[in-house]
């Protein structure tokens, strides 16, 4: 059986690969680096401890297995108080749904509810109207003689916050600030955050706590027909201590906001990029709008918004012949696994005609993304309206990317009339 010790040359090569991956340049095209990583095997040691998984089947199996857990509060305690896992923002995240394990996770997920068909149908109308308005802004800008427009700022960054803001009944004046805070907090969930990035997350998280605790107190005095009011009622029925009930609602609404904004913005920008990069794709969707859902799924496979999902071992064992000790962390490199040739034929090709675009963009198993139907609704609506009503757009330059690893982000997406 292999162990986690690696020859120092391999270790140095992996360290160098991740330093390149963390730059804006590496993020512009991380896929050759993933091919390099995959060439070391579907499971390989991470230089900082634990394992990196690039095999699609192994990622899939881990997400569905009870032998692998979320790094929860007790795991974080065992890592020591001075580690990144116990920074104030990380402690805050450790109370949210994706950092819980059963049985607590099961009960919190049940209390959250989900997006059933009726809710999605109702939200569909709002998303259509919002998308229409945002595309009008892009069209007006370009028709009014401006050479180009930043599609990311005008559309991708706006639609998710307006959709979630309307759903949660948050005042629209607060949306820009909430969106900025979600961009700032993301570092605490990144693969290798620096201490200054963690400090930014800590500040953002403290502001988010104070915003949402005020909101919950206020909502308590005017309960209405909105998700926050419903969560308050659900938790009041379960938890006699009001402060604890408020805290539980806070962690739910906090995570919904964090989960829903940047990820969906990235999906919208990446979907638009896929369309603009290759003019024949615009023509294809214009004549075959029935391919729009498959186009979105292929985007989620080809370049998902989240490239790394992590788990920890519940007990000693092995993974593809590598020794694993209880508490060891595995990083599921899903961005790389989506290009695994064992799972997908011709994986480097973007092909909306694939019979099934099997992917792990929304994770798998018990933590499967609760918001997936909403993210799909936004991306499909955007594509439908783009190709249905706008004159053809063209990309004016390659979009710059934030220097990260796990959470992809296009900083701009400059477009012009084709
Ligand atoms: C394209 C957009 C999105 C992507 C790529 C995405 C991705 C993910 C992933 C990978 C996870 C699982 C993390 C893990 O396994 O540890 C997750 C969980 C979750 N997502 Fe999403 N998400 C998106 C949009 C949304 C939206 C719009 C919402 C809510 C409105 C949402 C709410 C959640 C929640 C509540 C969880 C926790 C589920 C659990 O732990 O049981 N997500 N998401």
């Amino acid at each position: 059986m292999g162990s986690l010790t690696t020859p120092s040359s391999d270790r140095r090569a992996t360290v160098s690969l991740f330093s390149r991956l963390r730059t804006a340049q590496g993020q512009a095209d991380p896929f050759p680096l993933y091919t390099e990583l995959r060439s070391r095997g579907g499971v390989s040691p991470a230089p900082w401890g634990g394992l990196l998984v690039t095999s699609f089947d192994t990622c899939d199996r881990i997400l569905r297995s009870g032998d692998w857990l979320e790094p929860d509060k007790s795991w974080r305690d065992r890592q020591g108080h001075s580690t990144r896992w116990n920074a104030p923002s990380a402690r805050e995240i450790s109370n949210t749904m994706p950092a819980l394990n059963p049985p607590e996770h099961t009960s919190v997920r049940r209390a959250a509810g989900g997006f059933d068909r009726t809710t999605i149908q109702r939200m569909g109308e709002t998303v259509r109207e919002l998308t229409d308005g945002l595309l009008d802004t892009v069209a007006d800008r370009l028709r009014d003689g401006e050479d180009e427009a930043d599609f990311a700022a005008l559309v991708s960054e706006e639609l998710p916050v307006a959709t979630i803001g309307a759903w949660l009944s948050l005042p629209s004046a607060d949306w820009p600030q909430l969106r900025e805070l979600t961009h700032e907090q993301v570092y605490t969930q990144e693969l290798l955050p620096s201490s200054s990035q963690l400090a930014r997350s800590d500040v953002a998280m403290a502001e988010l706590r104070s915003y949402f605790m005020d909101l919950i107190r206020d909502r308590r005095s005017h309960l209405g027909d909105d998700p926050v009011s419903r969560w308050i009622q659900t938790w009041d029925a379960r938890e006699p201590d009001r402060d604890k009930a408020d805290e539980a609602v806070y962690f739910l609404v906090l995570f919904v906001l964090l989960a829903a904004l940047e990820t969906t913005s990235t999906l919208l920008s990446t979907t638009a990029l896929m369309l603009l990069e290759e003019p024949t794709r615009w023509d294809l969707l214009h004549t075959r709008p029935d391919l729009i859902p498959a186009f979105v799924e292929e985007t989620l496979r080809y370049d998902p918004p989240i490239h790394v999902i992590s788990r920890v071992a519940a007990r000693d064992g092995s993974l593809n012949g590598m020794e694993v000790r209880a508490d060891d962390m595995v990083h599921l490199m899903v961005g790389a696994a989506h290009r695994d040739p064992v799972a997908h034929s011709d994986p480097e090709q973007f092909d909306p005609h694939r019979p099934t675009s099997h992917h792990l963009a929304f994770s798998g198993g018990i933590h499967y993304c609760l918001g997936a139907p909403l993210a799909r609704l936004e991306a499909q609506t955007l594509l439908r309206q783009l190709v249905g009503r706008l004159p053809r757009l063209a990309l004016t330059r390659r979009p710059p990317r934030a220097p990260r690893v796990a959470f992809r982000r296009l900083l701009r997406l400059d477009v012009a009339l084709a």
Side-chain angles (χ1 to χ4, degrees), residues 72-382:
D72 61 13
K73 242 192 284 191
S74 63
W75 180 88
R76 286 162 197 259
D77 284 343
R78 293 195 291 279
Q79 308 314 302
H81 283 286
S82 54
T83 62
R84 63 160 288 195
W85 302 106
N86 287 299
S89 49
R91 298 294 299 178
E92 205 77 339
I93 285 287
S94 74
N95 289 295
T96 62
M97 198 188 309
L100 305 178
N101 288 307
E104 201 184 352
H105 171 263
T106 322
S107 137
V108 168
R109 186 159 168 130
R110 200 168 292 143
F115 292 97
D116 58 22
R117 197 176 289 230
T118 323
T119 313
I120 285 293
Q121 264 168 6
R122 227 184 8 245
M123 293 179 84
E125 193 50 43
T126 312
V127 171
R128 268 191 299 278
E129 279 169 21
L130 289 168
T131 309
D132 244 340
L134 296 172
L135 292 185
D136 281 344
T137 314
V138 175
D140 291 348
R141 278 269 164 115
L142 294 174
R143 278 195 205 105
D144 287 350
E146 288 199 29
D147 291 343
E148 55 182 52
D150 176 4
F151 191 89
L154 294 175
V155 181
S156 316
E157 288 279 312
E158 292 291 334
L159 183 57
V161 74
T163 305
I164 285 291
W167 183 58
L168 296 175
S169 297
L170 306 176
S172 56
D174 300 343
W175 298 350
Q177 184 208 1
L178 289 171
R179 188 180 43 211
E180 280 322 297
L181 291 173
T182 61
H183 287 315
E184 286 290 293
Q185 69 71 39
V186 81
Y187 298 109
T188 196
Q189 302 186 64
E190 253 299 329
L191 186 59
L192 302 163
S194 67
S195 47
S196 61
Q197 288 174 333
L198 275 179
R200 283 165 67 178
S201 291
D202 292 348
V203 171
M205 203 67 97
E207 280 188 48
L208 285 163
R209 170 177 271 274
S210 122
Y211 178 87
F212 282 120
M213 290 310 279
D214 285 351
L215 178 96
I216 292 163
R217 272 190 288 273
D218 182 61
R219 209 50 73 85
R220 241 184 205 299
S221 52
H222 320 87
L223 287 177
D225 183 24
D226 62 276
V228 179
S229 298
R230 281 196 293 282
W231 291 330
I232 292 173
Q233 288 162 310
T234 303
W235 278 98
D236 280 357
R238 290 173 161 214
E239 174 57 73
D241 181 332
R242 278 285 156 88
D243 290 341
K244 284 194 183 149
D246 282 357
E247 189 90 352
V249 176
Y250 156 65
F251 286 125
L252 203 48
V253 65
L254 168 74
F255 190 72
V256 165
L257 187 90
L258 301 186
L261 299 199
E262 203 180 83
T263 49
T264 313
S265 296
T266 302
L267 174 61
L268 300 180
S269 282
T270 313
T271 311
L273 177 64
M274 291 298 111
L275 189 67
L276 301 172
E277 251 181 353
E278 179 53 70
T280 57
R281 292 182 191 149
W282 188 293
D283 298 335
L284 174 71
L285 291 193
H286 188 70
T287 49
R288 294 275 319 269
D290 57 301
L291 282 175
I292 284 173
F295 195 99
V296 172
E297 296 312 302
E298 177 64 348
T299 306
L300 285 161
R301 179 198 71 85
Y302 191 76
D303 190 354
I306 300 178
H307 275 207
V308 188
I309 301 176
S310 300
R311 291 289 186 271
V312 294
R315 56 190 71 86
D316 293 350
S318 68
L319 184 66
N320 295 19
M322 306 286 295
E323 185 181 334
V324 172
R325 298 248 169 258
D327 279 353
D328 278 349
M329 185 168 258
V330 288
H331 299 293
L332 312 180
M333 305 295 295
V334 294
H338 285 183
R339 306 283 182 106
D340 178 354
V342 176
H344 299 101
S345 60
D346 219 354
E348 304 295 337
Q349 283 308 312
F350 179 88
D351 178 7
H353 295 284
R354 280 177 199 279
T356 51
S357 214
H358 192 31
H359 63 73
L360 303 170
F362 293 123
S363 188
I366 61 169
H367 291 279
Y368 185 81
C369 174
L370 266 182
L374 183 59
R376 288 184 163 121
L377 170 72
E378 290 180 49
Q380 292 175 13
T381 306
L382 177 63

Side-chain angles (χ1 to χ4, degrees), residues 2-7 45 322:
S3 79
L4 296 187
T5 49
T6 27
M322 306 286 295

